[in-house]
Amino acid sequence: MPDLNEPANSEKISVDDAVRAAVALHKQGHIEEAESFYEGVIEEVPDHADALHFLGVLRHQTGQSHEATELIARALERAPENSGMHLNYGNVLREVGRPDDAENAYREAIRLAPETADAYCNLGALLRLKKDFDGAKSMLDKAIELQPRHGEAFCNLGNLLRDVGDLEGAVASYEKSVEFDGDRAMRGKAAASLAAVLRRSGKIERAIKVLKEWLAWEPDSPVARHLLAAMSQADVPERADDAYLKELFDGFARSFDVVLESLHYRAPRLIGTLLKNLLIAEDARLKILDLGCGTGLGGEVVAPYGNELVGVDISRVMLAKAQHRGLYEELIEDEITRYLESGSTTFDLIISVDALCYFGELTRLLRGVSKRLGPGCYFCFTLEKTETSEKGKGYRLEGHGRYTHQKIYLMQACSDAGMTVERFEEAILRLETGQP
């Protein structure tokens, strides 16, 4: 923690100067240094509104959104007329599953600063998730009126138009977002959405062109590279690489639970039903491993069966959200095959909810599972189904970036790994573009 009164050059640094230094470090991506400065300021001046606010923003960015809500709420007690604080408070509230409170925060930000395009943009995105499509469009149109080159507003408008079935309008909005947004992450998000809508419209060649253009301005993008392989079926990898998964889920973590709820996500509940069908008692006190645990939705289902619950995921931001659930005795940041192969501890139950769909070839991973599974114990997992595969492999990489598998391939992979299939069920895991 920095010493605000006696820095290295022996010149006294004011609290406000320390906050400015922290903000500069924060913007440059020096998260740990910025955090140390913010904490140092709050230690000196516990009620410093800006330090509380920006530390809350930092916590939010690192996946600690529940703590962020407390910090920004404290800041607003001291600066209730600060529209920027209300805007950021709304962002955090939305991602911790408090949409009504988030809406109130956005509307207060607009009341205090009615010319702030970002507030209308974010409120529009929230109203879309709440299925208030007319209200959402009104807010997004206002954001674009105030800032005609607002790339994120155009991307959110594209999402809205896609949801209501106006695919041509969605394409036009995404194209403007890609053109206008200078932020790398936002521009990439818009390009991915544009390619997905073009694929949905049957315009595969045009989608491939978008992804190639994305790689031209961001040659190192693992997301663009993976989606191009998925869309073109050229140079298809046996599994999604680590860089793709980290970028995908670090970026998705903050809205993960809210978005999945809107897709009628049922996979964790189906795993729970399967455990009951296997006649596993809820008080069995099992040692359980959750592979690809994400934010812990699967952990919530299996926790009643467990004496010890361990989660493994490649995304640090996902793990931060899982930590908040208070279910796991241990959370480990690692690629799941590497984790399985690198240790010898065995488990009574292993689950994997919507993680294996990022693997095409399954035998190596399943052998790792078999190594870690106690005798007579269960591995319960979900996959997405295909009736056809690419070049007889038994699986294929779909245009959306996930792998689908044939039943015959799955059965053989389990057998090759030394496991017996006890139950095999088909069910709807969730919706995608309105389809099961």
Side-chain angles (χ1 to χ4, degrees):
M1 183 179 298
D3 187 335
L4 301 180
N5 294 313
E6 297 183 18
N9 62 10
S10 298
E11 295 179 5
K12 184 178 178 65
I13 179 172
S14 73
V15 167
D16 289 340
D17 284 342
V19 172
R20 281 190 284 272
V23 170
L25 289 166
H26 194 164
K27 288 181 177 179
Q28 293 165 14
H30 301 297
I31 299 301
E32 291 183 3
E33 295 94 328
E35 182 177 40
S36 182
F37 266 92
Y38 291 140
E39 290 175 341
V41 169
I42 292 168
E43 184 175 315
E44 290 283 319
V45 185
D47 293 341
H48 196 287
D50 285 339
L52 290 166
H53 171 220
F54 290 121
L55 180 59
V57 172
L58 184 149
R59 292 275 193 268
H60 174 55
Q61 291 171 338
T62 56
Q64 303 169 77
S65 295
H66 289 273
E67 184 178 345
T69 61
E70 297 172 3
L71 287 164
I72 301 176
R74 284 173 59 192
L76 281 168
E77 289 175 2
R78 291 143 185 88
E81 299 300 304
N82 187 307
S83 64
M85 290 185 189
H86 284 285
L87 176 56
N88 284 327
Y89 192 42
N91 294 340
V92 179
L93 289 168
R94 170 186 163 181
E95 293 183 16
V96 298
R98 295 168 57 185
D100 293 338
D101 292 335
E103 181 177 345
N104 292 336
Y106 288 142
R107 292 194 185 279
E108 183 65 7
I110 290 169
R111 184 188 71 79
L112 293 167
E115 302 304 307
T116 306
D118 285 353
Y120 293 98
C121 174
N122 293 6
L123 178 56
L126 175 67
L127 293 176
R128 177 183 73 86
L129 290 177
K130 296 177 75 172
K131 306 298 183 184
D132 180 2
F133 296 132
D134 290 339
K137 189 169 188 307
S138 175
M139 293 298 106
L140 293 170
D141 286 345
K142 182 64 176 178
I144 292 166
E145 176 189 327
L146 290 168
Q147 193 173 324
R149 296 178 66 85
H150 198 301
E152 186 171 358
F154 274 110
C155 187
N156 286 332
L157 181 59
N159 294 339
L160 170 63
L161 295 172
R162 176 198 63 201
D163 288 356
V164 299
D166 182 0
L167 299 188
E168 287 188 12
V171 166
S173 292
Y174 289 137
E175 287 177 336
K176 289 178 181 176
S177 181
V178 171
E179 177 186 353
F180 295 153
D181 208 302
D183 178 77
R184 181 194 70 83
M186 190 66 240
R187 193 179 183 195
K189 182 178 179 181
S193 297
L194 173 58
V197 169
L198 289 169
R199 175 179 64 85
R200 182 177 166 186
S201 304
K203 300 173 181 177
I204 303 299
E205 292 304 316
R206 191 171 164 192
I208 291 171
K209 181 173 182 289
V210 167
L211 294 170
K212 287 180 176 178
E213 290 171 350
W214 180 3
L215 276 172
W217 49 260
E218 192 181 356
D220 296 329
S221 170
V223 177
R225 188 169 57 248
H226 181 81
L227 293 179
L228 180 58
M231 205 79 72
S232 67
Q233 291 297 302
D235 301 318
V236 173
E238 288 190 343
R239 50 149 292 192
D241 69 31
D242 291 1
Y244 168 73
L245 293 172
K246 284 183 179 180
E247 184 163 329
L248 177 68
F249 287 106
D250 281 354
F252 191 23
R254 296 180 188 91
S255 58
F256 187 78
D257 293 1
V258 174
V259 170
L260 286 184
E261 184 177 348
S262 72
L263 299 177
H264 303 284
Y265 184 58
R266 303 172 61 235
R269 188 164 74 245
L270 291 168
I271 292 289
T273 300
L274 179 61
L275 294 178
K276 290 178 181 177
N277 290 341
L278 292 170
L279 303 179
I280 297 176
E282 282 203 357
D283 59 355
R285 299 182 63 79
L286 305 177
K287 185 170 185 177
I288 304 173
L289 174 62
D290 186 357
L291 287 175
C293 63
T295 64
L297 293 173
E300 285 193 333
V301 172
V302 299
Y305 298 89
N307 181 49
E308 180 181 347
L309 179 58
V310 176
V312 181
D313 202 277
I314 201 167
S315 167
R316 181 175 300 181
V317 187
M318 284 282 197
L319 290 171
K321 296 202 76 170
Q323 180 70 49
H324 184 78
R325 294 186 191 273
L327 299 171
Y328 295 87
E329 277 67 38
E330 187 177 12
L331 286 165
I332 299 165
E333 182 185 350
D334 204 350
E335 189 277 315
I336 60 176
T337 308
R338 183 167 53 238
Y339 168 79
L340 291 167
E341 293 177 342
S342 64
S344 57
T345 303
T346 58
F347 295 86
D348 304 310
L349 172 66
I350 301 178
I351 69 164
S352 186
V353 187
D354 278 0
L356 271 59
C357 56
Y358 293 98
F359 292 77
E361 198 283 318
L362 292 174
T363 304
R364 179 181 171 186
L365 185 145
L366 292 173
R367 284 175 177 156
V369 170
S370 184
K371 168 188 171 184
R372 295 297 204 103
L373 204 57
C377 297
Y378 290 108
F379 177 38
C380 302
F381 60 97
T382 63
L383 282 172
E384 297 184 25
K385 182 183 73 168
T386 184
E387 300 294 351
T388 60
S389 65
E390 190 67 24
K391 299 176 182 177
K393 290 183 177 180
Y395 60 84
R396 59 180 290 118
L397 177 59
E398 303 291 348
H400 47 53
R402 300 187 304 279
Y403 292 84
T404 55
H405 295 81
Q406 289 180 301
K407 179 177 180 179
I408 190 172
Y409 169 80
L410 173 59
M411 295 301 191
Q412 186 61 53
C414 288
S415 176
D416 290 345
M419 291 191 285
T420 301
V421 177
E422 181 81 11
R423 296 181 73 96
F424 182 95
E425 299 179 6
E426 294 189 13
I428 297 171
L429 303 178
R430 62 183 178 85
L431 302 182
E432 172 137 342
T433 63
Q435 300 300 312

